[in-house]
Amino acid sequence: MFNLSDINHAADVIYQIMPPTPQYNWPQLSKQLGCDVWVKHENHTPTTAFKVRGGIYLLNQLMQRADRPAGILSATRGNHGQSLSFAGQKTGMPVTIVVPEGNSEDQNAAIKGFGANLVVHGKDFEAARQHSATLVESSGYQPVAPFAPELVIGVATYALEFLQAVKELDVVYVPIGMGSGICGLIKTRDLLGIKAEIVGVVAEGAPAFAESFNAGKIIPGQDVNTLADGVATRTPLPEAFEIIKGGASRVITVTEQQITQAMYLYFKTTHNLSEGAGAVSLAGLIAEQGKMKGKRVGVVLSGGNIDFARFSEYISPYLSGDLMASVGASAA
């Protein structure tokens, strides 16, 4: 898919727009979970999510083409749309983003704030995606798929930073949405010759990648039901699945309770706000903390885009309880 030269070139492009994000070892978080925990803070980007890296690199590449498109168009629930909108604003490329009805108003406002044309259509993401295909025909804009090669190379720069900064990680937990984040991590690890296990994490209410991984073939999903919008994948993309099947140690599911516990644990021990999908990797560590005792573990906080009212609702059960007991019980 790419080599180290490709990732380094993408990093050079991206660092003209944003700096590398930090990775921190938080003592309270490590003490809570009984292992040496390192957090890659992809919630510290200009759009508060890792996907902006891919958008910056994709638009940079498109702008250099002699036949560059009149604009780009894509469907999204949020972070992918913010990524393209942010990059479009920086390059002057027109961007149209289609979102479903009832989409997060904060996400919609951010997409429009970056200057994109926001179209609201359909009851769910699939309906929005289908409508975006019709708009491509009428607008002449270039469609952008969530696993476009330039997006994956751009996203892989977070993995390069993380794996070069934190040596001898035993395990890295990473969420799986459409697959760019985990595939970038797998390929970068292999290119660097690092032995760290990579564990993909999905929500129990959107288990398609886990079921497919365990079966060794793609199992089409049914309806999804999870508070973690960014991992609400119904059916795995074949190109992403093949990389994950060959490079991940396992793919696990986490409960909605473990996701909200992770959101609270991030806020309590690091004062960082995490969206549901951003907390999924830490939820995976919570689920397997008994196996991780004494190990050096990485988790990817992939994004922090969540309405504050929803965040407050999700963490409220933990405000008056014993977090140590609740986390321990979930892992037992």
Side-chain angles (χ1 to χ4, degrees), residues 65 89 115 124 176 206 255 262 264 332:
R65 284 172 35 181
Q89 183 185 60
D124 58 18
I176 307 178
T255 67
Y264 176 68

Side-chain angles (χ1 to χ4, degrees), residues 21 27 61 79 106 135 179 184 192 207 229 255 284-285 291 301 303 308:
T21 60
Q61 297 301 101
N79 288 339
D106 284 3
L135 292 180
L192 292 173
D229 294 341
T255 67
L285 174 53
K291 300 178 182 179
L301 202 176
F308 189 72

Side-chain angles (χ1 to χ4, degrees), residues 8-332:
N8 282 312
H9 176 257
D12 290 341
V13 169
I14 290 164
Y15 297 157
Q16 295 176 37
I17 305 298
M18 58 167 274
T21 60
Q23 39 279 312
Y24 292 134
N25 174 237
W26 298 94
Q28 290 186 70
L29 190 60
S30 294
K31 181 179 179 181
Q32 190 80 63
L33 293 168
C35 54
D36 187 25
V37 184
W38 286 83
V39 181
K40 181 57 172 171
H41 281 283
E42 290 299 282
N43 60 320
H44 290 189
T45 74
T47 65
T48 327
F50 76 105
K51 285 183 178 290
V52 71
R53 297 171 179 269
I56 292 170
Y57 188 61
L58 172 72
L59 268 292
N60 173 270
Q61 297 301 101
L62 287 179
M63 293 299 290
Q64 295 183 47
R65 284 172 35 181
D67 61 340
R68 69 188 186 200
I72 59 172
L73 191 150
S74 194
T76 184
R77 290 292 300 269
N79 288 339
H80 174 61
Q82 280 202 54
S83 165
L84 298 179
S85 303
F86 174 85
Q89 183 185 60
K90 293 294 183 182
T91 60
M93 174 77 71
V95 176
T96 292
I97 299 296
V98 184
V99 301
E101 297 166 4
N103 199 52
S104 164
E105 287 301 322
D106 284 3
Q107 288 276 22
N108 291 355
I111 290 168
K112 290 190 290 187
F114 289 129
N117 174 36
L118 183 76
V119 177
V120 180
H121 182 91
K123 65 178 183 179
D124 58 18
F125 172 76
E126 183 58 25
R129 187 195 65 77
Q130 292 176 5
H131 185 63
S132 71
T134 66
L135 292 180
V136 166
E137 296 176 3
S138 61
S139 67
Y141 283 11
Q142 177 173 312
V144 177
F147 204 74
E150 296 85 357
L151 293 181
V152 181
I153 295 170
V155 163
T157 59
Y158 93 83
L160 187 68
E161 294 168 9
F162 196 18
L163 296 177
Q164 288 185 330
V166 186
K167 305 299 184 183
E168 299 180 351
L169 284 166
D170 294 303
V171 183
V172 182
Y173 289 88
V174 58
I176 307 178
M178 298 307 292
S180 63
I182 186 172
C183 290
L185 181 63
I186 288 170
K187 287 297 185 181
T188 304
R189 175 203 62 184
D190 293 347
L191 289 168
L192 292 173
I194 291 171
K195 303 301 182 183
E197 283 190 305
I198 293 176
V199 179
V201 190
V202 298
E204 197 173 65
F209 263 109
E211 292 176 350
S212 299
F213 185 88
N214 291 334
K217 62 180 182 180
I218 291 177
I219 306 296
Q222 304 300 319
D223 291 337
V224 297
N225 182 22
T226 176
L227 62 88
D229 294 341
V231 297
T233 302
R234 186 182 300 175
T235 302
L237 292 171
E239 55 267 51
F241 176 70
E242 288 303 314
I243 295 171
I244 295 166
K245 183 175 70 170
S249 295
R250 57 191 175 278
V251 177
I252 64 173
T253 61
V254 292
T255 67
E256 300 295 285
Q257 181 184 29
Q258 286 165 337
I259 295 171
T260 56
Q261 284 176 342
M263 294 169 73
Y264 176 68
L265 191 56
Y266 270 137
F267 189 72
K268 180 69 174 178
T269 63
T270 77
H271 293 173
N272 276 266
L273 192 72
S274 172
E275 62 190 74
V280 161
S281 58
L282 182 59
L285 174 53
I286 289 172
E288 294 194 342
Q289 72 177 102
K291 300 178 182 179
M292 295 297 117
K293 185 175 181 180
K295 294 188 176 183
R296 174 169 281 198
V297 182
V299 291
V300 182
L301 202 176
S302 58
N305 287 310
I306 184 171
D307 301 350
F308 189 72
R310 290 176 65 197
F311 177 78
S312 300
E313 175 189 348
Y314 295 153
I315 71 167
S316 62
Y318 307 106
L319 296 179
S320 58
D322 181 355
L323 180 61
M324 178 71 82
S326 67
V327 170
S330 74

